[in-house]
Amino acid sequence: MKKLKLYEKFIFIINSLMAFALFLSYVLPYIEPKKFAVLSVLSLAVPFLIIVNILFVIYWLLKVKKQLLVSLVVLALGYTYVFSLYKLTSSKNVDDNENISVMNYNVRLFNVFDWIDDPNLRKNMSQFITDKNPDILCMQEYRPDDEINFSAYPYKHIELSGKKVKNGQAIYAKFPIINSGSIEFPNTSNNAIFADIVKGVDTIRVYNLHLESSRIDPNAEEFSKENSQNLFKRVSSTFKMQQSQTEQFLAHKNKSPYKTIISGDFNNTAYSYVYKEIKGDMKDAFKYAGNGFGRTFDFKFFPVRIDFVLVDDAFDINAFKTFDVKYSDHYPVMAKVKLK
């Protein structure tokens, strides 16, 4: 520190704080939000912390200063975090006639309140789904809309709630659904639904999971106006609800006798307690076959991945893609999986 200029000392102090925050975040998946809700909020900032610490390493490297070791060591200790944020490898894409394509998409009510100023949005979204033609389509914040063409799907399971604008979750499938149902979370319109889908001689249980939203406005201007105390309080409360919802969901899932796919909007990152609990020993399709940041939510400040497709060990993951289409505040993702 003695050889550093005054402004460099200030930068190093900020660097040390960011490195400590990232190091602290490594334990977040193991901390129950019900016990340490405020601390669990830090999981939302992990992508930002990773990017900032990488920038600090580059800064000190260009300065040829040993201070780069602070962030470098912390990043090295959490290398699995770093590669969970950004996949350097190219996307895996194995064509196989036995592939089952699964798309997850939070459709945000098909823009019924014109959040996005585009008169052709529903038409374009319908065409997008038709073009990608997934075998199984899971949607959150779904509402019935005659402008969206689902004629390719003879089977479906939909659960709606609400008075003015009925909305909820939907599963559309090209294969027969022999059983379906809903896991109703208390005191919220969010829930999980499931469908038992027959593919050949196999029955697959597909869950469509929508955990409680933290209601963070992705608009940069609106976000900057947020009162930090209110934001932390609201997000902390949300994470407690998410933990309860996760426990209820897992109690149902653990009774399932079938091979399982979990698709959904977790409203939380891959660095969170709820993600760790839901994932368990399942496989995250992005980690196996995706590339780049894999962001699924249109947040202005840094890439956020909160929408997932998870499969159990009965499946091979042959492809994964995040589509950069602006028809919602979420980006659709699609995995191609094959039964072993």
Side-chain angles (χ1 to χ4, degrees), residues 22-35:
L22 179 59
F23 181 74
L24 184 63
S25 74
Y26 294 162
V27 302
L28 294 179
Y30 306 94
I31 296 177
E32 296 183 26
K34 290 180 181 178
K35 295 180 179 179

Side-chain angles (χ1 to χ4, degrees), residues 1-51:
M1 286 285 283
K2 291 182 179 179
K3 296 181 180 179
L4 296 179
K5 298 176 182 178
L6 182 61
Y7 77 91
E8 289 177 329
K9 291 180 180 179
F10 176 74
I11 291 173
F12 184 64
I13 290 171
I14 301 299
N15 184 174
S16 300
L17 291 173
M18 294 295 102
F20 176 74
L22 179 59
F23 181 74
L24 184 63
S25 74
Y26 294 162
V27 302
L28 294 179
Y30 306 94
I31 296 177
E32 296 183 26
K34 290 180 181 178
K35 295 180 179 179
F36 298 98
V38 174
L39 185 60
S40 66
V41 174
L42 186 61
S43 64
L44 292 177
V46 173
F48 167 77
L49 292 172
I50 291 172
I51 293 169

Side-chain angles (χ1 to χ4, degrees), residues 61 65 121 163 183 188 192 220 277:
L61 181 64
K65 299 284 186 179
L121 187 145
K163 295 180 179 180
I183 306 168
T188 181
E277 291 295 298

Side-chain angles (χ1 to χ4, degrees), residues 9-270:
K9 291 180 180 179
F10 176 74
I11 291 173
F12 184 64
I13 290 171
I14 301 299
N15 184 174
S16 300
L17 291 173
M18 294 295 102
F20 176 74
L22 179 59
F23 181 74
L24 184 63
S25 74
Y26 294 162
V27 302
L28 294 179
Y30 306 94
I31 296 177
E32 296 183 26
K34 290 180 181 178
K35 295 180 179 179
F36 298 98
V38 174
L39 185 60
S40 66
V41 174
L42 186 61
S43 64
L44 292 177
V46 173
F48 167 77
L49 292 172
I50 291 172
I51 293 169
V52 166
N53 276 279
I54 291 173
L55 292 175
F56 275 125
V57 169
I58 295 171
Y59 174 81
W60 294 117
L61 181 64
L62 293 175
K63 290 278 188 177
V64 196
K65 299 284 186 179
K66 63 181 180 181
Q67 279 72 21
L68 68 86
L69 291 173
V70 173
S71 287
L72 186 62
V73 169
V74 172
L75 288 166
L77 289 172
Y79 71 94
T80 56
Y81 266 40
V82 177
F83 291 110
S84 178
L85 174 66
Y86 189 91
K87 288 289 299 303
L88 291 171
T89 56
S90 59
S91 292
K92 181 181 178 182
N93 190 5
V94 178
D95 285 325
D96 193 303
N97 291 333
E98 296 301 313
N99 278 344
I100 303 169
S101 53
V102 182
M103 177 178 285
N104 187 81
Y105 200 175
N106 183 319
V107 296
R108 203 189 191 191
L109 306 178
F110 298 119
N111 201 44
V112 67
F113 294 115
D114 295 322
W115 292 292
I116 299 173
D117 185 15
D118 181 359
N120 297 316
L121 187 145
R122 281 187 284 279
K123 178 182 176 182
N124 292 336
M125 181 184 282
S126 181
Q127 189 62 51
F128 166 79
I129 293 171
T130 299
D131 291 344
K132 300 310 172 187
N133 195 30
D135 296 315
I136 300 171
L137 174 61
C138 296
M139 289 174 285
Q140 302 82 44
E141 297 188 33
Y142 167 92
R143 63 178 289 273
D145 193 309
D146 292 338
E147 290 190 55
I148 311 298
N149 180 16
F150 295 116
S151 61
Y153 300 94
Y155 310 100
K156 62 185 177 182
H157 174 54
I158 300 169
E159 289 283 345
L160 304 176
S161 62
K163 295 180 179 180
K164 292 184 178 180
V165 180
K166 285 191 173 296
N167 70 97
Q169 278 58 264
I171 298 173
Y172 281 82
K174 294 184 177 181
F175 313 116
I177 295 175
I178 58 170
N179 181 43
S180 60
S182 176
I183 306 168
E184 299 299 327
F185 300 145
N187 306 314
T188 181
S189 59
N190 292 60
N191 72 336
I193 64 173
F194 68 91
D196 295 335
I197 296 173
V198 176
K199 171 69 163 65
V201 297
D202 294 290
T203 300
I204 303 165
R205 174 158 291 183
V206 176
Y207 283 103
N208 180 355
L209 177 61
H210 190 201
L211 295 181
E212 194 69 21
S213 173
S214 55
R215 300 183 300 280
I216 294 177
D217 195 316
N219 182 277
E221 182 179 349
E222 293 301 319
F223 183 79
S224 65
K225 294 178 183 178
E226 281 264 26
N227 180 289
S228 59
Q229 184 176 355
N230 291 339
L231 177 64
F232 267 80
K233 185 177 180 180
R234 187 178 72 244
V235 175
S236 298
S237 177
T238 296
F239 283 8
K240 289 178 184 178
M241 289 186 69
Q242 287 183 355
Q243 181 182 344
S244 295
Q245 292 167 356
T246 296
E247 291 166 354
Q248 186 178 347
F249 167 73
L250 290 175
H252 189 281
K253 171 186 171 291
N254 292 338
K255 295 176 182 177
S256 170
Y258 302 122
K259 303 171 179 68
T260 302
I261 297 172
I262 301 175
S263 174
D265 172 8
F266 293 6
N267 273 309
N268 215 321
T269 68

